[in-house]
Amino acid sequence: MVFVDEGVAAAWPRLCAQITQYVEHLGDAAVLARTPVIIGGGEDAKNEKTLALVLAELATARLCRQSFVIAVGGGAVLDSVGFAAAIVHRGLRLIRVPTTTLAQGDSAVGVKNGINAFGRKNFIGCFSVPWAVINDGKFLASLSDRDWRSGLAEALKVALLKDIPFFEQLHASALQLMHRDHKLMNTVLRRSAELHLEHIIRSGDPFERSNARPLDLGHWSAHKLESLSRFQLRHGEAVAIGLALDAVLSQLLCGFPEREVLRIISSLIHMSLPVYDTLLEDSKAVIEGLEEFREHLGGQLSITLLKDIAKPVQVSGLRGEVIIHAVRILSEIWLGMSNLSDARPAQALG
Amino acid sequence: MVFVDEGVAAAWPRLCAQITQYVEHLGDAAVLARTPVIIGGGEDAKNEKTLALVLAELATARLCRQSFVIAVGGGAVLDSVGFAAAIVHRGLRLIRVPTTTLAQGDSAVGVKNGINAFGRKNFIGCFSVPWAVINDGKFLASLSDRDWRSGLAEALKVALLKDIPFFEQLHASALQLMHRDHKLMNTVLRRSAELHLEHIIRSGDPFERSNARPLDLGHWSAHKLESLSRFQLRHGEAVAIGLALDAVLSQLLCGFPEREVLRIISSLIHMSLPVYDTLLEDSKAVIEGLEEFREHLGGQLSITLLKDIAKPVQVSGLRGEVIIHAVRILSEIWLGMSNLSDARPAQALG
């Protein structure tokens, strides 16, 4: 059974018919339980209503546990369909076909799914290893510029944590990537996906039982910014701002070189990603985000910062004043650099 | 955070206060997020309303991923609370405190949870390993006779599949167990739990990826009987009938000795468990149950029968006529043996 993101189905109007024809062509080797189901994309896909809809479709189709559920779309659709597939009959077989840069380079190769509930992002979900993930670069052609750029934030993040040459490549080619160099983007997403996957396989904590979130540079504030913006900020955009903030925090707390802070921020600006948002000035809400981040993982609060490129360090006991100080420094850097960007508005939300 | 089965809280009126006092006594080592929450027990616990309630309690209490959720109660409450705990923050830490013979000897030591949805038993759930399981024999004292007996069906099942001396013990002490020999029941449940757990650990398929359900002797019809009876039949009672039916099927299809069929049925009757129900005569519904059983696990239908005691065999291609034939034979055996029982009504539903 196939679920297709509404946006993808609109951009590729023949896709659903092609899927049906392809499976018919396979003869006895595979049967479609029904024609592909189109579901709304974006963060709305991650609410309880969409989950209920997907569950009802799976129930009606009477899929058995060895059936395959194929989800085609952005990260939100993959998360929601993936969670439904994980809990029907205690787990159908999920094949993810991510169609955005963000999902191809990061989330789709991971082992998580989830929906938002009780006002909190990913409050409900589980760890579940997909049967397969198919990254098809062709899908990227139909992305808006905004979605095209979004995946670069996670690529930059994983480069900063693990791979100096990859960071140098991203820094050097930021403008080229922003201007939609397709071949380069495929290379970048492949490396990003590899690094994320390697981490999950080799880190020793694929299901995040410990306090540490070694892949979550820039994410504690990103999650909060997304919900504060009522999901007007894309995940990748929020991560871009979160990376800029964590770069400054790394400088303040871990001796991360100022020169690298500026290179990170200028890379993001060249990628046309936001590095600052006035939402950060609501310090009460931002500090609350830190507690929500702790709650999701549990135990002592610990965030990942950088001593140097590819030298992450776990920092605990982050205080509110330091965050406020870092936000002020970031806003100054951002104002000083704004000539670099194409006169981007003060708020990414416009 | 602690959830207590309504029936358990009623039978042990001081329990919730004792839990609170105990945790207070621990000082800084543990904190109760709130006073124990009482939730309705029985199959109703496994509906979406109860799940929503437990999720809301967990959300309000703002538990973090490293928090412990303790579920005290029968299998249904453990299943529902366990599923909620498994999907909040992608998995809180679950401690099961089973209070029935059925849960202590079987379900609570397993790695499954689930709720009923779309008219199907355990349609939604996941595999999730509990942090700990605490079997406290004291809880059994307050069980009704009917719940006391229910766990014996799963004990008999696992004995038939794996352990000749255990089967001999159950056969020899069936009346004594029915008459509530507490010490003997604890021994029986311990052995049953051990055998179930050993199977999960060593069978090589703890998360049931294959077609085979080697522990599910008697279960394909039991699940259907439960729902046909609108859950008036307890799971253990339905399994007792399912075991009797599968014993006859084993004789018809696998050369299982008739003498053993009769010993199994007389053991069940001595335990005051049902071995037949007129619901079995709705052959269309029963055969439908076979398909639902297949659907849950997927792939080719395969059920577990017996060549001999402790010699299980996978049988595929079970045909409707054979089932109808077996039901008729079982009804005759049951009529012939009804002098053994305390004049049990023709329908367990009475």
Side-chain angles (χ1 to χ4, degrees), chain A residues 87-249:
Chain A
I87 62 174
V88 164
H89 294 313
R90 301 198 181 99
L92 309 174
R93 298 173 176 184
L94 177 69
I95 297 180
R96 297 196 189 116
V97 183
T99 57
T100 63
T101 54
L102 195 66
Q104 290 196 358
D106 175 14
S107 57
V109 293
V111 292
K112 301 190 212 176
N113 58 46
I115 62 164
N116 307 327
F118 301 98
R120 274 168 278 170
K121 193 167 157 77
N122 294 326
F123 183 68
I124 292 192
C126 62
F127 292 96
S128 178
V129 182
W131 205 265
V133 181
I134 300 170
N135 276 4
D136 184 341
K138 275 192 197 149
F139 279 116
L140 307 181
S142 63
L143 293 178
S144 70
D145 285 342
R146 211 175 151 190
D147 282 326
W148 170 273
R149 299 188 290 254
S150 268
L152 293 172
E154 295 283 3
L156 187 69
K157 174 209 73 178
V158 79
L160 288 172
L161 288 169
K162 296 186 177 278
D163 188 337
I164 298 174
F166 189 34
F167 171 64
E168 296 300 341
Q169 179 190 26
L170 287 167
H171 180 64
S173 60
L175 273 171
Q176 201 179 336
L177 284 163
M178 188 269 280
H179 284 126
R180 301 190 73 132
D181 183 320
H182 212 96
K183 202 172 150 211
L184 187 60
M185 180 61 97
N186 281 338
T187 316
V188 161
L189 294 180
R190 189 184 178 89
R191 184 67 190 140
S192 173
E194 271 172 6
L195 287 168
H196 279 99
L197 194 56
E198 247 173 52
H199 177 87
I200 294 167
I201 295 168
R202 297 190 207 288
S203 70
D205 189 22
F207 302 141
E208 300 176 359
R209 293 287 159 229
S210 87
N211 299 337
R213 303 187 70 154
L215 274 185
D216 274 0
L217 184 68
H219 276 62
W220 68 269
S221 55
H223 287 159
K224 189 65 186 182
L225 286 170
E226 277 180 87
S227 71
L228 283 177
S229 78
R230 297 169 189 276
F231 297 101
Q232 295 306 298
L233 275 175
R234 301 276 207 283
H235 180 66
E237 294 168 341
V239 169
I241 298 168
L243 285 177
L245 182 60
D246 278 3
V248 175
L249 278 170

Side-chain angles (χ1 to χ4, degrees), chain B residues 44-261:
Chain B
D44 273 354
K46 296 185 58 158
N47 63 26
E48 290 168 70
K49 227 174 100 190
T50 305
L51 175 68
L53 185 136
V54 176
L55 289 173
E57 290 285 357
L58 293 171
T60 309
R62 305 199 74 98
L63 295 193
C64 77
R65 190 187 281 171
Q66 296 189 14
S67 306
F68 291 89
V69 174
I70 304 180
V72 184
V77 164
L78 302 185
D79 263 3
S80 191
V81 173
F83 179 56
I87 61 174
V88 163
H89 294 312
R90 301 196 181 100
L92 309 175
R93 298 173 176 184
L94 177 70
I95 297 179
R96 296 198 189 113
V97 184
T99 57
T100 62
T101 54
L102 195 67
Q104 289 195 359
D106 175 13
S107 58
V109 292
V111 292
K112 301 190 210 175
N113 58 45
I115 62 164
N116 306 328
F118 301 98
R120 274 168 278 170
K121 193 168 156 79
N122 294 326
F123 183 69
I124 292 193
C126 62
F127 292 96
S128 178
V129 182
W131 205 264
V133 181
I134 300 170
N135 276 4
D136 184 341
K138 275 192 198 151
F139 279 116
L140 307 180
S142 63
L143 293 179
S144 71
D145 284 343
R146 211 175 151 192
D147 283 327
W148 170 274
R149 298 187 290 256
S150 269
L152 293 172
E154 296 284 3
L156 187 69
K157 175 209 73 179
V158 79
L160 288 171
L161 289 168
K162 296 187 177 275
D163 188 336
I164 298 174
F166 188 34
F167 170 64
E168 296 300 343
Q169 179 189 26
L170 287 167
H171 179 65
S173 60
L175 273 170
Q176 201 180 336
L177 284 163
M178 187 267 280
H179 287 307
R180 301 191 73 131
D181 183 321
H182 213 97
K183 203 172 149 209
L184 187 59
M185 180 62 97
N186 280 339
T187 316
V188 161
L189 294 180
R190 188 184 179 89
R191 185 66 189 141
S192 172
E194 270 172 8
L195 287 168
H196 279 100
L197 193 57
E198 248 173 50
H199 178 87
I200 294 167
I201 295 167
R202 297 190 207 287
S203 70
D205 190 22
F207 302 141
E208 299 176 0
R209 294 286 161 231
S210 88
N211 300 337
R213 302 186 68 153
L215 274 185
D216 274 0
L217 185 68
H219 276 63
W220 68 269
S221 55
H223 287 158
K224 190 65 186 182
L225 286 170
E226 276 179 88
S227 70
L228 284 176
S229 78
R230 296 170 189 274
F231 298 101
Q232 295 305 298
L233 275 175
R234 301 275 207 284
H235 180 65
E237 292 167 342
V239 168
I241 298 168
L243 286 177
L245 182 61
D246 278 3
V248 175
L249 279 169
S250 297
Q251 185 194 344
L252 293 177
L253 297 172
C254 316
F256 186 61
E258 187 182 7
R259 174 178 164 272
E260 301 297 0
V261 177

